[in-house]
């Protein structure tokens, strides 16, 4: 019922700047939905460009939440993780 926590989180996300941090060294798969109402495709691409060797999986017809539960996306994530084990 209290939206202050949500506002605090949104403000922190708005101020976050990956380009000011040391580069991520871990293998990374960035997954996003092309219909995400909160984060646009350009932001996913910008983020991926800041992570050396980042693999990107953008699903055009999926949104912010639906991308996390899509069977093909889950299979892609499992494959990415299995490559590392």
């Amino acid at each position: 019922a209290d939206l202050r926590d949500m506002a605090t989180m949104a403000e922190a996300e708005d101020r976050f700047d990956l380009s000011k941090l040391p580069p991520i060294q871990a293998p990374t798969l960035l997954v996003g939905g092309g219909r995400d109402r909160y984060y646009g495709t350009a932001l996913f691409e910008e983020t991926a460009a800041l992570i050396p060797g980042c693999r990107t999986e953008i699903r055009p017809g999926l949104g912010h939440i639906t991308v996390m539960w899509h069977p093909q996306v889950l299979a892609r994530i499992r494959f990415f993780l299995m490559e590392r084990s």
Side-chain angles (χ1 to χ4, degrees), residues 23-63:
I24 293 172
Q25 299 296 316
T28 304
L29 173 65
L30 188 145
V31 178
R35 294 184 64 205
D36 190 315
R37 295 185 306 187
Y38 305 103
Y39 304 104
T41 303
L43 182 58
F44 293 133
E45 292 169 355
E46 177 185 334
T47 301
L50 293 169
I51 303 171
C54 182
R55 295 187 193 177
T56 308
E57 183 81 19
I58 305 298
R59 291 297 173 136
L62 300 177

